[in-house]
Structures are given as structure tokens and as C-alpha cells.
């Protein structure tokens, strides 16, 4: 049965952990969906798959192009697409235009955007009122890499409190779920207990309502993974080995 936003909220109430992974094309999306992943995110971390150094250069056109391919592979999971850097921060009108395009052109059910109080609250409330479901993202927000680096966030009492208040404000603004990235597990636990929507952790300990990994990290395909990403297999090695074998057979006239 297809996963809905309502179902994800029920999963939190039932304490059933939510499985989230990222996808960037049809084949990966199909494999994740067939495995029963609950939510498939077309994350702007796909920038790494496209050879960018961080998430800042990726465009809305690139996100939409890949999201369309992902859509063709997803039958059951809830599909969410990241709004890339500077396609929603400028104004409510810009956010509405970008999010509207994502939903209309890709068939995704929701968008995700980074940041919280006060910057994004009005924008999120307007998107939600217009019928666009929004997933929030606080803690380490990679689109702000030039301000915060890639360090764990919420280390001082004030910073910790700010992230907690952001999460509470995001829920009030109407997000259906929040990604908590690279914060201390105790803070993730506190947020998870204080909000009634599912929290999805990455580098935030095991107390969130669900967990997300970047699939190219999980598969050992990324050039380098963040320290908190668990690598389950080494596809770089497997691909290199297969390509070397093929090359050798061709060169020896065996193929
Ligand atoms: O872009 C992405 O893949 C993300 C996840 C790390 C949550 O935002």
C-alpha cells in the first residue's frame, strides 16, 4: 500500500521506525521502492553524484530532471524533492513558484527545504496553505556550508535551544516531518519528544522517529562520506573490479 503523510504520522504514534533513503535516477528509485523504503528523497546531496563539490550549484532544472526519473521508479514510497539553494529563500513568491513546479512537473508529493525560525516560517506556512506539503530540515543545513561548515550543530546551550525552538516553530508552521542533521543525540531525543510530527535523523543518534542516509554513501559510491554515514557495501570497488575484468577480457581477445 502506498505510503501517505498520514501514515508516516501514524508510524510515529505507533513507534514504528521510518526508513528514508535518497534517490537520483529510475534504477536506484526502483530498487529502494521494491525494498519497501517508506520515503524516497530526491535530495540536493545528488550534487555529489553530478560531480559538484557541495549542494550550492545544483539547479531546480537538474532537480526536476532527476526527480522525473525517480518518479518512474517509485510506486509505494512517499516521494519528496529538495528545493535547491536560492530557489526559495528570496521570497514567498519564489518558493511558491519553485515548489509548485516540483509538484506539477515531477509528481512528487512534497518538497523539503532547509532552515527554520525566523527565516523560513512564513514561507512554509504559505506553501502549506497553498496545498504543498513541506518537510523541514534543521541542525546542519548543508546549503549554509559557507556559514556553518559541516560541523555538528547545537554545541552551546544557546545554539541547542535555538534548534529546539526552530523545530517547534516548523511544526507550528505546518511541516509534516523534520530532518535533524548532525546534532547531539540528546537534542534529537528532546525534539522528537516535543513535536508530534516524525523526526528523521542523520548523524543525530538513534532516538529519532526515522533515519535517512544518502544512498550513494550507504552503497560506498560517494568519493567521500561524512563521518556519521554508515557504509554498507563498497560499490566503487565492485564497479572498478568488474570494469577491470571486462577491459582485460577485451584486450586479451577473450570477450
Ligand atoms: O540532500 C539530502 O540528501 C538531504 C539528506 C541528507 C537528508 O537533505
Amino acid at each position: 500500500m502506498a505510503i501517505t503523510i498520514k501514515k508516516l504520522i501514524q508510524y510515529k504514534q505507533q513507534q514504528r521506525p521510518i526508513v528514508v533513503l535518497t534517490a537520483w535516477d529510475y534504477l536506484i528509485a526502483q530498487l529502494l521502492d521494491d525494498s519497501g523504503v517508506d520515503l524516497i528523497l530526491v535530495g540536493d546531496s545528488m550534487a555529489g553524484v553530478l560531480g559538484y563539490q557541495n549542494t550550492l550549484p545544483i539547479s531546480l532544472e537538474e532537480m526536476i530532471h532527476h526527480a522525473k526519473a525517480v518518479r518512474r521508479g517509485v510506486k509505494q514510497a512517499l516521494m519528496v524533492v529538495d528545493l535547491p539553494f536560492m530557489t526559495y529563500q528570496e521570497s514567498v513568491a519564489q518558493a511558491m513558484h519553485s515548489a509548485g513546479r516540483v509538484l506539477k512537473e515531477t509528481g512528487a508529493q512534497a518538497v523539503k527545504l532547509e532552515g527554520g525560525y525566523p527565516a523560513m516560517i512564513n514561507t512554509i506556512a504559505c506553501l502549506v496553505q497553498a496545498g504543498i506539503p513541506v518537510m523541514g530540515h534543521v541542525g546542519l543545513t548543508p546549503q549554509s556550508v559557507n556559514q556553518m561548515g559541516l560541523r555538528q550543530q547545537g554545541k552551546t546551550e544557546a545554539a541547542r535551544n535555538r534548534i529546539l525552538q526552530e523545530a517547534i516553530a516548523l511544526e507550528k508552521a505546518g511541516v509534516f516531518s523534520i530532518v535533524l542533521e548532525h546534532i547531539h543525540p540528546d537534542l534529537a531525543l528532546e525534539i522528537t519528544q516535543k513535536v508530534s510530527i516524525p523526526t528523521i535523523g542523520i548523524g543525530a543518534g538513534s532516538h529519532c522517529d526515522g533515519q535517512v542516509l544518502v544512498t550513494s554513501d550507504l552503497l560506498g559510491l560517494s568519493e567521500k562520506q561524512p563521518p556519521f554515514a554508515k557504509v554498507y557495501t563498497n560499490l566503487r570497488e565492485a564497479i572498478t573490479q568488474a570494469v577491470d575484468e571486462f577491459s582485460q577480457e577485451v584486450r586479451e581477445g577473450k570477450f
Side-chain angles (χ1 to χ4, degrees):
M1 247 209 318
I3 306 286
T4 58
I5 287 173
K6 201 170 151 199
K7 201 172 272 184
L8 289 183
I9 292 168
Q10 283 167 357
Y11 286 172
K12 176 178 177 111
Q13 291 156 355
Q14 296 160 356
Q15 298 186 327
R16 176 200 182 284
I18 298 165
V19 180
V20 181
L21 282 171
T22 67
W24 55 88
D25 69 11
Y26 167 74
L27 293 175
I28 291 286
Q30 193 188 42
L31 289 168
L32 302 185
D33 198 61
D34 285 350
S35 298
V37 167
D38 298 310
L39 189 156
I40 295 181
L41 172 68
V42 183
D44 60 357
S45 60
M46 171 173 62
V49 174
L50 301 184
Y52 296 126
Q53 287 309 303
N54 57 43
T55 59
L56 302 198
I58 199 161
S59 68
L60 188 62
E61 298 306 326
E62 286 169 308
M63 294 300 295
I64 289 175
H65 174 78
H66 283 266
K68 282 178 172 172
V70 168
R71 180 74 271 173
R72 293 190 278 272
V74 176
K75 300 211 162 32
Q76 304 298 331
L78 189 82
M79 181 177 155
V80 181
V81 178
D82 259 340
L83 292 184
F85 182 58
M86 280 301 133
T87 68
Y88 62 94
Q89 291 96 336
E90 217 173 283
S91 64
V92 172
Q94 190 203 28
M96 203 76 91
H97 180 77
S98 301
R101 277 197 65 195
V102 166
L103 261 59
K104 281 167 89 83
E105 295 177 36
T106 74
Q109 285 107 330
V111 295
K112 176 166 83 60
L113 55 85
E114 295 182 6
Y117 183 81
M120 284 302 131
I121 296 304
N122 184 40
T123 297
I124 290 170
C126 290
L127 290 172
V128 173
Q129 276 160 28
I132 300 173
V134 179
M135 188 174 198
H137 184 154
V138 300
L140 171 59
T141 48
Q143 290 178 13
S144 304
V145 62
N146 291 318
Q147 283 175 328
M148 60 170 69
L150 296 172
R151 288 180 297 277
Q152 191 188 58
Q153 297 298 301
K155 289 204 161 176
T156 63
E157 194 53 36
R160 194 190 144 91
N161 207 35
R162 196 168 53 244
I163 295 171
L164 174 63
Q165 294 314 318
E166 273 191 319
I168 291 169
L170 282 174
E171 179 178 24
K172 280 203 188 116
V175 300
F176 70 90
S177 174
I178 312 177
V179 169
L180 304 178
E181 181 163 353
H182 210 9
I183 58 174
H184 194 280
D186 290 348
L187 175 57
L189 174 63
E190 193 177 349
I191 294 172
T192 301
Q193 287 170 338
K194 288 220 162 109
V195 299
S196 57
I197 49 171
T199 59
I200 306 297
I202 175 161
S206 57
H207 301 302
C208 299
D209 299 304
Q211 296 290 334
V212 56
L213 273 185
V214 171
T215 301
S216 50
D217 292 341
L218 170 145
L219 297 175
L221 201 53
S222 307
E223 283 177 307
K224 65 172 192 277
Q225 294 85 12
F228 52 78
K230 185 167 172 190
V231 181
Y232 285 79
T233 187
N234 191 338
L235 274 199
R236 283 182 83 84
E237 210 170 272
I239 291 172
T240 303
Q241 210 172 346
V243 171
D244 284 350
E245 228 174 284
F246 171 67
S247 303
Q248 197 177 338
E249 287 185 7
V250 170
R251 288 180 186 124
E252 289 170 359
K254 290 183 188 160
F255 184 83

